[in-house]
Amino acid sequence: VQLQASGGGLVQAGGSLRLSCAASGIIFSIYLVGWYRQAPGKQRELVAALSSGGSTDYADSVKGRFTISRDNAKNTVYLQMNSLKPEDTAVYYCKAYYSGNYPRDYWGQETLVTVSS
């Protein structure tokens, strides 16, 4: 199983980035997928999640600015980040979670997002 994240980078405040996370080795469509982030000196936090049925959940700090989506045909989850703020600077991770029989989860590698003021 592999989750390959990409799309991070340096952007000015107010700008946009789109993160992608491509999965392989799992039946992607049945997994809940999510994006987490960890800023320096802080705990990892959930940014956005998207269930296999299409339900979404967002951290209050990103509501109205970030959008999570998935393309099951491409086994890929996206995080569209608009109106970025310096406090969005963090290492971002994708995660795929299956809650059925034999629950399991998989993490992607980190991708760094830096927002300059």
Side-chain angles (χ1 to χ4, degrees), residues 43-55:
Q43 290 188 331
R44 189 176 298 189
E45 63 173 353
L46 174 68
V47 176
L50 174 59
S51 74
S52 58
S55 299

Side-chain angles (χ1 to χ4, degrees), residues 38-44 89:
Q38 187 166 17
K42 295 187 177 181
Q43 290 188 331
R44 189 176 298 189
T89 295

Side-chain angles (χ1 to χ4, degrees), residues 4-100:
Q4 186 78 27
S6 61
L10 174 63
V11 64
Q12 288 189 331
S16 298
L17 282 175
R18 188 175 82 155
L19 305 183
S20 299
C21 178
S24 60
I26 59 174
I27 305 173
F28 181 76
S29 61
I30 66 174
Y31 279 72
L32 179 149
V33 290
W35 288 95
Y36 291 72
R37 68 185 180 188
Q38 187 166 17
K42 295 187 177 181
Q43 290 188 331
R44 189 176 298 189
E45 63 173 353
L46 174 68
V47 176
L50 174 59
S51 74
S52 58
S55 299
T56 57
D57 188 26
Y58 293 94
D60 288 342
S61 59
V62 308
K63 283 180 181 177
R65 300 188 298 122
F66 290 12
T67 302
I68 188 170
S69 62
R70 66 193 298 164
D71 185 337
N72 289 335
K74 295 182 178 180
N75 287 358
T76 301
V77 55
Y78 304 98
L79 184 68
Q80 178 66 43
M81 305 185 293
N82 299 328
S83 303
L84 282 161
K85 304 176 181 180
E87 51 264 43
D88 294 318
T89 295
V91 173
Y92 284 71
Y93 302 86
C94 59
K95 177 181 176 180
Y97 173 68
Y98 176 65
S99 62

